[in-house]
Amino acid sequence: EAQLVKAYGGRKPIILSETAAVQGRAAWIRQLSSWVKSTPAVGAVVWFDTDVQHDSDHNFRLDAEPDALAAYRAMARSARFAG
């Protein structure tokens, strides 16, 4: 990750697209939020928010776990993403 940020972060915003977690989502999102706050090159974070996959029974939806949804909302509402 550090190499990616170093290589491209100075030229264009980095978008984390389709990120997700299966277990421990709230803690994982809080850790992600901390990393994003300390990495100015990150311009956007997109959560892979689905409960339907043909080859998996995992539910990636944020609203499946109230703590995970609260953690993501806190990250999205932070001054870091205020524009």
Side-chain angles (χ1 to χ4, degrees):
E1 73 195 38
Q3 291 176 342
L4 178 77
V5 171
K6 194 176 205 177
Y8 299 103
R11 296 184 289 156
K12 295 195 178 245
I14 293 173
I15 299 173
L16 302 178
S17 62
E18 293 192 2
T19 191
V22 176
Q23 296 177 349
R25 287 179 221 175
W28 191 86
I29 292 167
R30 286 190 291 272
Q31 184 178 12
L32 173 65
S33 179
S34 178
W35 181 79
V36 167
K37 286 177 184 176
S38 68
T39 310
V42 175
V45 175
V46 180
W47 189 264
F48 183 68
D49 192 46
T50 186
D51 60 355
V52 178
Q53 291 236 2
H54 299 293
D55 59 346
S56 173
D57 60 351
H58 295 301
N59 181 351
F60 296 100
R61 292 180 54 96
L62 285 167
D63 59 2
E65 295 178 12
D67 290 347
L69 181 57
Y72 192 83
R73 283 180 173 164
M75 180 176 65
R77 291 178 179 154
S78 74
R80 174 69 179 78
F81 289 111

